[in-house]
């Protein structure tokens, strides 16, 4: 969409707004005149382009060069302009990145020290427990890839591991966790896990967004098996370690520890 036409649409929206405010006669008149206005603008643009083309040809004849030579010169100038713009964009991006890093460092220095969660709530998520659960989830990822219609994820495979981990702490087993499985499409359930609070305010903290499907992975493009959790030092490799099975495992371990 050309810029003039976009501006015309914005103007049209403003005129419609005036109609809603009661100036219906004025707005209706503007709506009737709008097609003619757009037509005049299109004709004016065509006339300008025609004039510019004639001027270029005249300039080429005067200088003794051909129109093709003019076109080539213009093309080279445009190429240098594009290169300059790309360089300016790169420099700007580098400056923004440096500024962002400096701002992040400033925020880190200004924040008070954050104590271990166990100091306040007595919680402790065992790393090995987390890794063991995450390994089970990533082991299912070949069937969790989301790329319809070829690949339809079966989130029920992940839900089963989560339910198995939390079952001993469920209300049905005498625990505090209220667990609900909601399934609109077979094999693709949602899990709602509630830990009832004791605050008289009745406020609720919600942890949302731990989806159970993953982006497709082409194993040939990986240095490690994407469908198997690989642990190397303090680094974890595998499809879904952060997006988003790592979150699923972490929230599951959190709810388990709360219970």
């Amino acid at each position: 969409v050309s810029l003039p036409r976009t501006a015309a649409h914005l103007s049209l929206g403003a005129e419609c707004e005036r109609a809603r405010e009661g100036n219906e006669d004025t707005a209706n008149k503007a709506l009737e005149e709008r097609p003619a206005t757009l037509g005049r603008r299109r004709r004016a643009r065509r006339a300008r382009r025609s004039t510019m083309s004639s001027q270029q040809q005249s300039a080429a004849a005067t200088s003794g060069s051909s129109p093709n030579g003019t076109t080539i010169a213009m093309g080279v100038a445009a190429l240098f302009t594009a290169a300059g713009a790309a360089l300016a964009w790169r420099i700007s991006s580098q400056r923004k990145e440096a500024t962002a890093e400096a701002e992040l460092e400033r925020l880190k220095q200004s924040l008070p020290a954050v104590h271990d969660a166990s100091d306040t709530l007595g919680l402790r998520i065992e790393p090995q427990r987390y890794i063991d659960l995450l390994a089970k989830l990533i082991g299912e990822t070949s069937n969790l890839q989301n790329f319809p219609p070829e690949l339809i994820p079966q989130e029920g495979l992940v839900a089963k591991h989560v339910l198995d981990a939390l079952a001993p702490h469920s209300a049905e087993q005498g625990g505090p966790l209220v667990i609900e499985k909601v399934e609109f499409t077979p094999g693709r359930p949602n899990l709602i896990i509630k830990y009832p609070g004791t605050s008289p305010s009745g406020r609720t903290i919600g942890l949302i967004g731990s989806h159970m499907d993953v982006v497709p992975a082409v194993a040939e493009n990986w240095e490690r098996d994407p469908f198997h959790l690989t642990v190397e030092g303090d680094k974890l490799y595998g499809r879904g370690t952060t997006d988003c099975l790592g979150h699923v495992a972490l929230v599951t371990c959190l709810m388990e520890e709360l219970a």
Side-chain angles (χ1 to χ4, degrees), residues 76-259:
V76 172
L79 179 62
F80 278 105
T81 301
L87 179 60
W89 176 85
R90 184 174 180 179
I91 293 174
S92 176
S93 298
Q94 291 174 343
R95 288 176 178 171
K96 288 179 180 178
E97 184 176 351
T99 302
E101 290 178 355
E103 181 65 13
L104 180 60
E105 186 60 31
R106 187 190 68 78
L107 288 174
K108 287 181 180 178
Q109 297 298 328
S110 65
L111 291 173
V114 179
H115 298 288
D116 193 299
S118 61
D119 294 344
T120 304
L121 302 176
L123 299 175
R124 175 67 64 182
I125 296 177
E126 294 297 331
Q128 193 57 50
R129 170 60 179 153
Y130 169 79
I131 290 174
D132 290 344
L133 177 57
L134 182 58
K136 293 179 181 179
L137 302 185
I138 292 184
E140 305 285 5
T141 48
S142 61
N143 295 310
L144 300 175
Q145 300 175 91
N146 196 339
F147 191 75
E150 292 85 357
L151 299 173
I152 305 298
Q154 297 298 303
E155 289 94 336
L157 299 171
V158 173
K160 182 180 185 304
H161 291 297
V162 174
L163 292 174
D164 288 345
L166 298 181
H169 310 287
S170 65
E172 290 77 6
Q173 299 295 326
L177 299 182
V178 179
I179 303 174
E180 184 180 1
K181 180 180 178 181
V182 181
E183 190 172 62
F184 299 99
T185 302
R188 307 196 63 188
N190 296 281
L191 294 180
I192 302 173
I193 305 166
K194 298 179 182 179
Y195 179 85
T198 57
S199 172
S201 67
R203 293 180 177 177
T204 298
I205 297 176
L207 304 176
I208 305 172
S210 300
H211 58 84
M212 297 182 284
D213 62 335
V214 299
V215 175
V218 180
E220 292 76 11
N221 296 338
W222 285 57
E223 296 179 1
R224 302 165 184 81
D225 184 356
F227 307 124
H228 174 80
L229 179 64
T230 300
V231 182
E232 296 180 5
D234 61 351
K235 292 182 172 60
L236 306 176
Y237 298 90
R239 175 56 88 216
T241 49
T242 57
D243 183 18
C244 194
L245 298 180
H247 302 170
V248 174
L250 185 61
V251 172
T252 301
C253 290
L254 172 63
M255 301 304 290
E256 189 177 36
E257 182 64 17
L258 282 172

Side-chain angles (χ1 to χ4, degrees), residues 9-31:
H9 285 308
L10 293 174
S11 176
L12 182 62
E15 288 156 3
C16 290
E17 183 64 26
R18 288 199 297 272
R20 285 193 290 269
E21 294 175 356
N23 298 327
E24 291 155 354
D25 293 339
T26 302
N28 287 335
K29 182 178 179 181
L31 289 172

Side-chain angles (χ1 to χ4, degrees), residues 59-83:
T62 301
S63 62
S65 61
S66 66
N68 288 337
T70 303
T71 302
I72 293 173
M74 291 176 63
V76 172
L79 179 62
F80 278 105
T81 301

Side-chain angles (χ1 to χ4, degrees), residues 32-44:
E32 292 172 359
E33 294 175 351
R34 180 58 56 189
T37 302
L38 291 175
R40 287 196 298 271
R41 289 179 179 175
R42 293 193 188 99
R43 289 193 295 273

